[in-house]
Amino acid sequence: MKKSFIIKRKGFTLVEVILAMVIIAFTMAIFSKVIYTGFKASNSNKKKLQCIIIAQNYMEKLRGFRDYNEFNTIDSLKRYLIQKENFKKNDNILKKEEVHKSVRYSISISIDEDREVEKELFDKLAIVSVKVKSQNNNEAQLKTKFYLMDNNSFEGDEKIE
């Protein structure tokens, strides 16, 4: 009498296992690319936001000192930035470099007269632009108009050329 053996298949074949591994690897590669791109965009936005915060801080600092009558002319505003905030004059732009959280930032402030107003207000209405650029080439620029008060001026009244 012949015995017949019935083979019951339990488990997967080698081809099925390899195919499943290829599908899983391909899916993981796609998801890792998406996650990497998301982290990269998030990090870039974070650095851009840091530039905006630094620019906003300088703008608010200038407004605060203006409101407490530290300066009342464009020249006294420039003199304040050079003497108290350690900016260096380069042409008509004041520049400074700072390091925040191991990143170097270049800060440029330009202050110009608003030529669109009446002549007697030329030295009283200033267009202030604060530009911040990080070493990673992220940059932010804020621009506003300042009305300079008529009270006290900042230490001395000589013009800055």
Side-chain angles (χ1 to χ4, degrees), residues 55-64 66-67 71 74 77 108-115 117 124-131 140-148:
Q56 214 168 18
N57 283 342
Y58 272 100
M59 199 64 85
E60 290 303 320
K61 188 181 283 191
L62 292 175
R63 281 190 191 109
R66 180 218 42 202
D67 292 346
F71 45 79
I74 291 173
L77 173 56
S108 304
I109 298 179
S110 66
I111 305 160
D112 296 309
E113 297 170 341
D114 188 355
R115 302 254 180 221
V117 296
K124 298 300 173 199
L125 193 59
I127 299 172
V128 178
S129 175
V130 178
K131 184 176 183 180
Q141 182 171 5
L142 298 178
K143 198 172 195 177
T144 191
K145 291 184 180 183
F146 273 20
Y147 180 73
L148 303 171

Side-chain angles (χ1 to χ4, degrees), residues 43-44 47 102-105 133-139:
N43 196 26
S44 175
K47 290 175 183 173
S102 303
V103 179
R104 183 173 300 279
Y105 293 93
K133 186 174 183 179
S134 73
Q135 69 188 28
N136 306 333
N137 292 327
N138 289 308
E139 99 179 28

Side-chain angles (χ1 to χ4, degrees), residues 15-29:
V15 174
E16 291 171 333
V17 170
I18 291 174
L19 185 62
M21 288 176 65
V22 167
I23 292 171
I24 290 171
F26 189 70
T27 305
M28 287 178 59

Side-chain angles (χ1 to χ4, degrees), residues 145-160:
K145 291 184 180 183
F146 273 20
Y147 180 73
L148 303 171
M149 308 299 181
D150 254 342
N151 297 336
N152 302 325
S153 66
F154 180 76
E155 298 175 4
D157 278 339
E158 69 273 2
K159 283 218 175 249
I160 294 182

